[in-house]
Amino acid sequence: MHAIQTSGNCIRNVTADQFSGVAADEVEDARPWCEIIRQWSTFHPEFAFLPRKFKIAVCGSEQDRAAVMVHDIGLQIVKDPEGNTAFKVIVGGGLGRTPVIGSVIHDALPPQHLLTYLEAIVRVYNQLGRRDNKFKARIKILVRAMGADAFKAKVEEEWAFIKDGQLSLPEEEVARAKSFFTAPDYLALQNEDLQAVALESPAFARWLAHNVHAHKQDGYAIVTLSLKTTGVAPGDITAEQFVAVANLAEEYGFGEARSTHQQNMVLPDVQQKQLFSLWQRLESLELASPTVGTMNDIICCPGGDFCSLANAKSIPIAEAIQRRFDDLDYLYDLGEIELNISGCMNACGHHHIGNIGILGVDKKGQEFYQVSLGGSQGLNASLGKILGPSFAQEDIPDVIEKILNCYVERRQPDEDFLDTFNRIGLEPFKERVYA
């Protein structure tokens, strides 16, 4: 993360999967490619005044954790038929007032052409994107107006002029970028059997099941620190906790801590045999809520409490939901549910791609909340469908409870919320809520 080009109509901070470099399902580390893109885009003289802000995400894992389908450009690292690194290029995604799922315009771009192809995409956008209306200036509007095939044809036409030019990536430049992201000095460890410890401590077992993730190095684990304590704004961390996390990163890893777009933090390299000790420390810091991946792992924008753009408050809604559904066994029985809250149509809380999305709206000076269902991020991303008329703030916990009751009654064995919604559709939920 850097503070260059953070607010202008330019290419902003390039983002990646929070597990990059350590994920067990990783195809290739995304971080070197992010660094190459960062160096290309920073102070780019041609792209300093684009029609609107521009965001790029890169994911190098089988499971998309970087939301590549809803960025201006999303890059998914894949392997071509010969087993070589390539990029699936997705263009024109975005949320906000006009939510759009991106379109694939290249299935397997060779890495030596990465920057030339990106240059062609942004150049076409810079030339043809609207500048008369900021609400219609993002690349998603251009791609949708032209159609993905026509946009791709225009990119390919521009690309032909620069494909083999100065921006072609030689292997030594890729190797230089990769040299910045070498593996730390892992010990030669065996995977630990923590079942006996988990049986002695049910609380540790819950945390182990939900907050600890598979690492590609034997004997190590990835740990997500939950910043979703009930009564605290989701994603908030105190100065004292932050200092403590820095110390834990040194003591239980290689001095690295990461931030996630789910508003949590990650310690990427924890020895499995130290997990119980780390959990005890996190418990004392109130950073060990075993709710990662559950409905109470809420993504929530600052809302009307802090943001001058918001139509309604977000943080009290998150707290009300967390307090209503505080039974861990019930949350675990529900399975993975992504609940996202935005205080206005700018969609900073990504409500469009929440399995359950909540949007604050203004109705004659009063704060109301619109609910949508069926959104999802990932490579099969989908946009939520609006349930119906909006609700008063005090009604939201009851609305969520009716939605969950409908899901529990209608789901099939081992079926998660999104699968149930896709199978039965919106109407059963709508009938239950508005009955």
Side-chain angles (χ1 to χ4, degrees), residues 91-92 100 103 105 120-130 136 138-158:
V91 174
V100 179
S103 301
I105 65 168
I121 291 170
V122 185
R123 186 170 290 177
V124 169
Y125 168 57
N126 199 27
Q127 293 170 348
L128 302 181
R130 292 183 61 172
K136 297 182 179 180
R138 298 293 291 271
I139 192 174
K140 62 187 178 184
I141 303 298
L142 177 63
V143 173
R144 194 169 71 168
M146 293 180 65
D149 291 339
F151 181 84
K152 176 181 179 179
K154 198 68 178 176
V155 169
E156 300 275 343
E157 180 184 333
E158 185 66 40

Side-chain angles (χ1 to χ4, degrees), residues 202-215:
F204 172 67
R206 289 192 291 266
W207 179 81
L208 191 67
H210 292 88
N211 296 42
V212 178
H213 320 276
H215 199 290

